[in-house]
Amino acid sequence: MKWSMKMRLGCIVLCCMMTCRMVAQEVQEDTIAGKVHQIEKVTVTARRMPNKVTSAVPVQTMSKQDISQLGIQNVADAVRRFAGADVKDYGGIGGLKTVSIRNMGAAHTAVSYDGVAVSNCQAGQIDIGRFSLDNVSMLSLSIGQSEDLLQSARLYASAGVLNIETEKPHFEGDRTSAFLARVRGGSFGYVAPSVRWWQKLGGRTRLSVDAGYMRADGNYPFTLVNGKYVTKEKRTNSDVESWQGEATLYHTFKDGGELDVKGYYYQSRRGLPGSIILYNPATDERLWDKNGFAQLRYRKHFSDQWALQAQAKYNYSWDKYRDEGADYVDGVVTDYYTQQEYYGSGTLLYRPLPGLSFSLAQDIAFNTLDSTLPDCPFPLRFSSITALRAQYQWERVRLDAALVGTWITEHVESGSKPDDLKRLSPVFSINYRPWEEEFYIRLMYKNTFRTPTFNDLYYYRMGNRSLKPEIADELNVGITWSTSPNSWLASLSLTADGYFHRVKDKIVAFPTTYVWKMANFGKANASGLDVTLASRWNLTSDVKLNVNGSYSWQRAIDLSDPKSKSYKDQLPYTPQHTGNASAVLELPWCSVGYTLIGVGKRYYLSQNLPENKIDGYLEHSASLTRKFSFKGWSLFLQADLLNLTNKQYEVIKYYPMPGRSWKLSATVEF
């Protein structure tokens, strides 16, 4: 199915016109009745943070204040601090950054942006490096399923969810607008200005507009070790330039319904830093990408018993890949890829009795892919996902169960199409509070799968249209505890979760006689432990100290072939030990933050041989922030020093990460 650009733009414009007309009608009614009707006061509050102690599944959060005080630079840097999260970073500011939960693979992890899922049917993994932190109010990572009974069915179908929530407009006193301008600069040619504008449009409507630009050379130095020879080199083809903008309209109807309409656009051009092997650091790969989407979300609580959420989204993604080399005809190859998605979701919540809740979610999506690659079949995928959930709270016990049904069918213009996929996936969790203190015992089981991506099925020569879904079973047992013992130790919380998961029919690239081919070959088991600690100390009336940390141990082994030399070896890029610790000292005149991230040794190939080892590392970072308040405006200054010890390390083999670097930022808010 091919849609013209005029038709796509027509659909978007029509939706926006209908939404704006509906909102404008509400505003007009309020204005006409102004002499006889007084609009009730609207109070805007921050988004509710998930409670990691009372949750029946592991959930971790990071607020806007945490991000600022710790000097966190991007979403990938923030996610690295979550226990159980594995971020793959292909080096450089412009390198791809993906997240997977407990080593299950990036395709098993969903990413949600303001409650609506982000998709990539072509590759199956989301580059979280392209999301800006400038307007983020909260990041949360849920393993299993989140506590939100109104979430979409697509989020139920994933092993875990990274949720990115942007900041809603809020105003002080009688102000009707707010403006923020920020500029960042740092090492390796990094410059990133951004602006934000908030505006009230009547008593029930608010508008938020954000725009940002970023560029960096990314040519950082590194040390190349080749046996006894050590040389100083510099990273090449790591430059990036990007533009990003989004506008969101928030409207509250008279009946209490809430409507959010968002338009988003991102565009970048970047070099793809290649692997550094011996003395050949050069690479000519370039990538251009454009991504735009329009989405809306409507929520309405009709009564204490009934609630509804509806979502709709159109997503357009365009990529251009270019490489030069003697292997190509005319010495260069250029490929184009275009993805489109039409998505709708509806969730109904019903509470028949106190403590008993049911929800039913239904998602429908159409996905298409166009490509200039030879033999592209121009696939169209139709997906229907249904999730039925029940939750019961009885005194100190909360039971939660869900059943997710998935049906996927595809159409191709040439060749055979894959078999239709029909599957049921159960989820179950229990949370028990044995006594009055904030102490909980939790248990969770979840069965999920990942559908073969368009690349897995149709990529030139490598694709395999007979692939089966990759199936995963998760089991989690944990305890949580929190207390506020006295005035100087304001809060202390601890979570510990042991887990086991099994993945079968893993989709991997398998060598054949002449080429590599995608196949269902792998099988893996993993067991581990995630521990988190958070505390807040009142040292004096004006001095506060926040200390947080997490630790993960994981044993993930390959069980694909008992005759293989890698049988029961640790999976590639899976450290047994990872952890991080942070401390923020809040003083009357400034805040000082310090972060330590540690990763143990790993192996980049299946066999755990010494020559395949990647050394572990410790990365230290520090930040200093100061806010100046004036009449009607404020100035916020921040200085960050990253990788204090100038440690050279690799997340992916042959992709060296930056050494010591600095960043400065200034923010003016009116």
Side-chain angles (χ1 to χ4, degrees):
M1 181 183 294
K2 297 183 180 180
W3 288 59
S4 68
M5 180 62 73
K6 290 183 179 180
M7 293 177 67
R8 292 195 298 266
L9 292 176
C11 291
I12 296 174
V13 170
L14 180 60
C15 292
C16 292
M17 289 177 63
M18 294 176 64
T19 302
C20 292
R21 180 176 179 85
M22 182 169 52
V23 172
Q25 184 177 357
E26 287 257 341
V27 174
Q28 184 180 21
E29 290 175 359
D30 290 342
T31 304
I32 294 175
K35 295 182 180 181
V36 296
H37 174 70
Q38 182 178 0
I39 298 175
E40 61 268 26
K41 183 178 179 180
V42 177
T43 302
V44 179
T45 58
R47 299 182 188 270
R48 184 174 65 89
M49 298 278 285
N51 192 324
K52 68 177 185 179
V53 175
T54 62
S55 173
V57 299
V59 58
Q60 301 166 76
T61 61
M62 186 172 293
S63 67
K64 176 184 177 182
Q65 184 179 12
D66 298 329
I67 293 170
S68 175
Q69 291 179 335
L70 293 173
I72 295 173
Q73 305 300 316
N74 52 59
V75 174
D77 190 28
V79 175
R80 291 171 65 196
R81 289 160 168 79
F82 290 143
D86 177 31
V87 176
K88 284 187 169 58
D89 191 328
Y90 288 82
I93 297 175
L96 177 69
K97 298 169 178 59
T98 63
V99 57
S100 68
I101 291 175
R102 293 174 173 174
N103 206 55
M104 298 182 68
H108 285 276
T109 305
V111 177
S112 166
Y113 196 73
D114 278 341
V116 184
V118 182
S119 67
N120 184 343
C121 276
Q122 179 185 353
Q125 54 189 11
I126 306 299
D127 180 11
I128 60 175
R130 69 181 178 91
F131 294 107
S132 171
L133 282 177
D134 287 343
N135 64 336
V136 169
S137 65
M138 181 188 69
L139 292 173
S140 66
L141 180 68
S142 301
I143 299 176
Q145 64 188 28
S146 76
E147 298 285 279
D148 185 8
L149 291 172
L150 283 174
Q151 66 180 317
S152 65
R154 180 177 280 181
L155 300 184
Y156 280 106
S158 301
V161 179
L162 172 64
N163 188 26
I164 304 172
E165 293 283 354
T166 59
E167 192 172 11
K168 286 187 174 182
H170 50 85
F171 305 92
E172 296 181 0
D174 298 329
R175 296 192 58 177
T176 59
S177 64
F179 179 78
L180 180 147
R182 177 183 290 116
V183 61
R184 291 190 178 98
S187 303
F188 321 126
Y190 174 79
V191 177
S194 63
V195 294
R196 186 190 70 194
W197 174 48
W198 289 345
Q199 182 67 51
K200 278 186 179 181
L201 303 175
R204 301 178 180 275
T205 309
R206 294 156 288 148
L207 175 68
S208 173
V209 179
D210 296 86
Y213 168 80
M214 189 271 285
R215 59 91 54 203
D217 299 326
N219 296 333
Y220 52 85
F222 66 94
T223 302
L224 178 62
V225 179
N226 180 22
K228 65 179 181 179
Y229 300 102
V230 179
T231 59
K232 299 293 184 181
E233 306 289 340
K234 184 168 283 192
R235 201 73 163 110
T236 60
N237 203 42
S238 190
D239 61 291
V240 60
E241 186 176 29
S242 67
W243 299 262
Q244 180 176 351
E246 64 180 84
T248 310
L249 186 71
Y250 302 91
H251 183 73
T252 303
F253 294 94
K254 290 181 178 180
D255 60 2
E258 296 181 350
L259 176 67
D260 302 345
V261 182
K262 180 184 292 289
Y264 173 95
Y265 181 76
Y266 174 85
Q267 176 177 323
S268 76
R269 56 187 181 188
R270 68 186 72 192
L272 298 178
S275 57
I276 305 298
I277 301 177
L278 299 182
Y279 298 99
N280 184 28
T283 176
D284 297 308
E285 293 180 289
R286 307 290 299 179
L287 180 66
W288 293 260
D289 61 293
K290 300 176 183 178
N291 176 230
F293 65 75
Q295 69 182 39
L296 62 87
R297 178 170 62 167
Y298 174 76
R299 283 198 175 204
K300 173 75 167 80
H301 289 269
F302 298 96
S303 65
D304 292 338
Q305 289 184 309
W306 293 94
L308 170 72
Q309 174 179 270
Q311 298 178 351
K313 182 177 182 178
Y314 169 73
N315 183 75
Y316 175 84
S317 177
W318 175 91
D319 297 285
K320 173 186 174 183
Y321 170 81
R322 185 177 185 272
D323 190 21
E324 298 178 4
D327 296 336
Y328 306 122
V329 179
D330 300 326
V332 64
V333 63
T334 304
D335 298 324
Y336 295 88
Y337 306 88
T338 302
Q339 292 186 74
Q340 297 182 72
E341 179 182 64
Y342 304 86
Y343 170 76
S345 173
T347 307
L348 184 65
L349 172 63
Y350 175 53
R351 297 186 178 95
L353 300 170
L356 179 62
S357 302
F358 295 96
S359 68
L360 178 65
Q362 175 64 55
D363 288 14
I364 293 177
F366 291 90
N367 294 88
T368 65
L369 173 66
D370 297 347
S371 169
T372 58
L373 287 178
D375 300 328
C376 176
F378 302 100
L380 181 149
R381 173 177 292 176
F382 172 77
S383 304
S384 173
I385 307 176
T386 306
L388 176 62
R389 183 176 182 179
Q391 186 181 94
Y392 181 60
Q393 179 78 45
W394 177 66
E395 296 183 350
R396 298 177 183 176
V397 178
R398 183 166 75 245
L399 301 174
D400 203 325
L403 185 64
V404 182
T406 304
W407 175 51
I408 297 176
T409 185
E410 300 192 11
H411 169 78
V412 293
E413 294 188 4
S414 62
S416 61
K417 77 178 188 71
D419 294 335
D420 290 355
L421 172 65
K422 298 178 181 179
R423 185 170 179 84
L424 293 176
S425 303
V427 189
F428 173 78
S429 66
I430 182 172
N431 199 24
Y432 175 53
R433 184 181 183 182
W435 47 78
E436 289 296 329
E437 292 186 18
E438 290 292 307
F439 178 81
Y440 296 84
I441 302 172
R442 59 192 182 193
L443 170 70
M444 183 269 294
Y445 166 78
K446 186 169 188 177
N447 173 266
T448 60
F449 67 94
R450 86 161 180 94
T451 308
T453 67
F454 284 159
N455 282 351
D456 296 332
L457 295 169
Y458 308 113
Y459 196 82
Y460 183 54
R461 293 184 178 178
M462 287 185 64
N464 181 357
R465 304 188 188 191
S466 299
L467 288 174
K468 297 182 291 185
E470 184 178 292
I471 299 173
D473 291 288
E474 301 175 76
L475 179 64
N476 187 96
V477 180
I479 60 171
T480 65
W481 172 72
S482 70
T483 184
S484 301
N486 47 54
S487 59
W488 56 273
L489 180 52
S491 65
L492 176 65
S493 64
L494 172 71
T495 69
D497 289 276
Y499 62 88
F500 172 82
H501 66 71
R502 176 178 57 198
V503 180
K504 64 179 182 179
D505 292 330
K506 285 182 67 68
I507 300 173
V508 296
F510 193 77
T512 61
T513 304
Y514 299 105
V515 297
W516 288 74
K517 197 81 171 176
M518 304 305 296
N520 293 108
F521 179 76
K523 183 169 64 174
N525 287 356
S527 55
L529 175 69
D530 292 337
V531 180
T532 69
L533 174 71
S535 63
R536 180 171 176 83
W537 305 75
N538 296 324
L539 303 183
T540 68
S541 59
D542 296 327
V543 179
K544 318 292 182 184
L545 176 65
N546 298 319
V547 179
N548 300 283
S550 68
Y551 167 76
S552 295
W553 171 83
Q554 185 179 73
R555 175 64 173 158
I557 56 176
D558 178 16
L559 298 176
S560 302
D561 183 4
K563 299 179 181 179
S564 171
K565 293 182 179 180
S566 63
Y567 185 67
K568 291 191 176 181
D569 275 0
Q570 187 85 343
L571 293 178
Y573 294 107
T574 306
Q576 284 198 4
H577 306 280
T578 58
N580 71 85
S582 65
V584 175
L585 185 63
E586 299 177 6
L587 303 171
W589 56 92
C590 70
S591 293
V592 182
Y594 189 85
T595 302
L596 174 66
I597 296 177
V599 176
K601 67 178 181 180
R602 295 140 288 148
Y603 298 91
Y604 72 96
L605 293 178
S606 298
Q607 288 184 259
N608 294 172
L609 301 176
E611 55 266 31
N612 297 336
K613 187 180 72 170
I614 304 176
D615 292 331
Y617 63 89
L618 286 174
E619 184 183 62
H620 304 253
S621 299
S623 64
L624 178 67
T625 59
R626 173 71 190 272
K627 183 177 182 180
F628 299 90
S629 297
F630 305 95
K631 186 176 181 180
W633 65 286
S634 61
L635 173 65
F636 186 84
L637 301 177
Q638 182 168 332
D640 304 309
L641 192 56
L642 312 174
N643 198 352
L644 284 167
T645 60
N646 200 31
K647 176 69 175 179
Q648 180 173 315
Y649 64 93
E650 297 171 330
V651 177
I652 302 297
K653 185 64 174 177
Y654 303 124
Y655 287 80
M657 298 296 291
R660 184 185 298 114
S661 62
W662 58 269
K663 288 186 180 179
L664 299 175
S665 68
T667 305
V668 178
E669 190 169 3
F670 297 92

